[in-house]
Amino acid sequence: RKEVEQDPGPFNVPEGATVAFNCTYSNSASQSFFWYRQDCRKEPKLLMSVYSSGNEDGRFTAQLNRASQYISLLIRDSKLSDSATYLCVVNPTGANNLFFGTGTRLTVIP
Amino acid sequence: GAGVSQSPSNKVTEKGKDVELRCDPISGHTALYWYRQSLGQGLEFLIYFQGNSAPDKSGLPSDRFSAERTGGSVSTLTIQRTQQEDSAVYLCASSSPGMNTEAFFGQGTRLTVV
């Protein structure tokens, strides 16, 4: 079983829509969680960390559900510039070893 | 430099040749990761270093792949007797000690085996 699993998509949504991605992880002892964004032919970059209490950054909200072992990313009022691949990242042991999901591709359509 | 630096940025090599890819992490980052990404695919984990040691080599796809890290800094990924299926972007990332720390990526080396 993979450490991290994501729906690869693609998700095609109109501008202004709200879209949510989920990601499941297999190791219940996982300590830290992140969402990364990867634009076409670019390297991944941190979008936001995911905290136990949930956190929000502008139009982006990240949540963690430890009981069900998933994290989510919600994007409100989608912009064309949000089109990218979103990668879920989990630290399964707290030992600085990061596992990336395969990513969910989002396309925001005018 | 301020970020993770990888070289070369592009490499075209003939099938059967050896290649060496270099990663220069952010100063002070003890953790270093190698991934590869084929066109349109997700990140495939290759190897992880903590300092100079590699506690997790499970992702190396074959014995043609090896990696080392010296002085807790620069890492090289070597692919021997390259095959066409080795063509991909090889990404390196580093992170500082401790939990909940962000991993920073280099811009990658695009390897093409012809």
Side-chain angles (χ1 to χ4, degrees), chain B residues 30-106:
Chain B
T30 57
L32 185 147
Y33 313 82
W34 282 100
Y35 297 87
R36 79 174 171 183
Q37 189 172 34
S38 300
L39 189 63
Q41 302 298 308
L43 271 70
E44 177 187 359
F45 171 76
L46 298 178
I47 190 169
Y48 151 68
F49 287 92
Q50 183 60 256
N52 289 338
S53 65
D56 190 348
K57 301 180 181 180
S58 63
L60 294 176
S62 77
D63 59 9
R64 296 185 295 105
F65 287 72
S66 62
E68 64 174 17
R69 188 180 186 195
T70 54
S73 182
V74 172
S75 176
T76 53
L77 177 69
T78 302
I79 309 173
Q80 295 178 310
R81 305 181 302 282
T82 52
Q83 304 294 314
Q84 287 186 328
E85 61 263 28
D86 298 335
S87 297
V89 176
Y90 289 80
L91 289 160
C92 174
S94 70
S95 66
S96 57
M99 289 167 42
N100 234 26
T101 57
E102 175 186 357
F104 293 84
F105 280 85

Side-chain angles (χ1 to χ4, degrees), chain B residues 16-29:
Chain B
K17 295 285 177 74
D18 297 352
V19 294
E20 193 171 275
L21 312 181
R22 176 188 169 107
C23 173
D24 204 337
I26 293 172
S27 178
H29 281 194

